[in-house]
Amino acid sequence: MRWLLLVLLGGICILGLGFFSFVSTVTEFQKPVASQTADAIVALTGGAARISDALELLDQGRAGRLLISGVNPETTQGEIASMEPSRARLFACCVDLGYAALNTEGNAKETRNWTRDRGYRSLIVVTSAYHLPRSLTEIRRELPDVRLIPYPVVTDQMPLKEWWLDRNATRLLVSEYAKYLLAVGRLRFGRPAIAAEAIGGGE
């Protein structure tokens, strides 16, 4: 019984330390320098700021094309373009909408298919700062040979710097940490994504 308690306490300590390391990573995420470019950009839906930041990067010439992954099937290109009227012209030439993804794992598979179809070797990944560790892990599992450049989106609605003072921020980070651990487990101990799909016959 004593050994069991020690193991449980050790596990709790490891999870606690891992959580604080995760939070530190999230709060210290830095946007890439202006000179850093990639073949393409992928923005994971979940907030208007993500799309806005991704379009700004595209307009700056930081990449040649943008995928907005996880778009609601009822949302049209025109509706998204109307959110950024000054950059609406980009939708005619350089923006693709992905409607297949329902979650982060789906975002990664949608990104994989789009990236492989076009032969891209580097991506700027745009999503909320708290969502980046899991997003990068999921995409890396699908595209292990593609260089990923994280681009964190931070808004005043989610005060990550003082997360312990905000119940919603604390709840969000705990939930995201748990999902991140599952993603890491799939990456390290699961079969490679390509092999798994070949054996299982698809998604």
Side-chain angles (χ1 to χ4, degrees):
M1 193 65 179
R2 183 181 300 175
W3 282 108
L4 179 59
L5 288 173
L6 288 174
V7 170
L8 288 174
L9 287 173
I12 292 171
C13 288
I14 290 172
L15 286 174
L17 290 172
F19 173 70
F20 284 106
S21 176
F22 170 81
V23 172
S24 177
T25 298
V26 167
T27 56
E28 294 301 322
F29 260 128
Q30 299 292 319
K31 288 181 170 58
V33 295
S35 60
Q36 200 165 4
T37 60
D39 293 335
I41 302 164
V42 57
L44 310 186
T45 55
R50 301 180 187 182
I51 297 175
S52 177
D53 282 10
L55 287 169
E56 182 178 359
L57 292 173
L58 184 65
D59 203 14
Q60 292 173 354
R62 303 279 289 277
R65 199 163 189 85
L66 165 65
L67 168 67
I68 302 176
S69 174
V71 178
N72 188 309
E74 297 181 359
T75 302
T76 67
Q77 178 173 290
E79 288 173 329
I80 297 179
S82 67
M83 296 164 53
E84 292 284 327
S86 64
R87 298 190 173 98
R89 70 189 187 284
L90 296 173
F91 284 82
C93 68
C94 314
V95 179
D96 297 314
L97 304 185
Y99 290 98
L102 300 177
N103 51 35
T104 305
E105 191 174 357
N107 288 142
K109 291 181 178 181
E110 189 167 63
T111 298
R112 176 200 65 197
N113 295 338
W114 182 78
T115 300
R116 288 210 178 119
D117 285 347
R118 290 161 178 76
Y120 296 141
R121 305 301 301 169
S122 58
L123 295 173
I124 297 175
V125 180
V126 180
T127 189
S128 299
Y130 65 82
H131 190 227
L132 263 174
R134 180 159 59 104
S135 300
L136 294 173
T137 300
E138 294 285 9
I139 296 173
R140 191 170 289 119
R141 179 171 182 264
E142 301 292 340
L143 294 168
D145 299 325
V146 173
R147 182 169 65 97
L148 304 179
I149 302 170
Y151 190 93
V153 177
V154 180
T155 66
D156 294 336
Q157 297 176 349
M158 189 56 61
L160 296 180
K161 286 293 185 181
E162 296 182 344
W163 57 271
W164 61 90
L165 299 177
D166 188 293
R167 182 179 301 176
N168 291 330
T170 301
R171 186 183 299 115
L172 174 66
L173 288 171
V174 170
S175 173
E176 192 62 31
Y177 175 58
K179 295 174 184 177
Y180 168 69
L181 290 179
L182 291 175
V184 170
R186 284 196 298 270
L187 177 64
R188 293 186 178 178
F189 304 113
R191 290 174 296 177
I194 310 293
E197 289 193 4
I199 294 171
E203 296 180 14

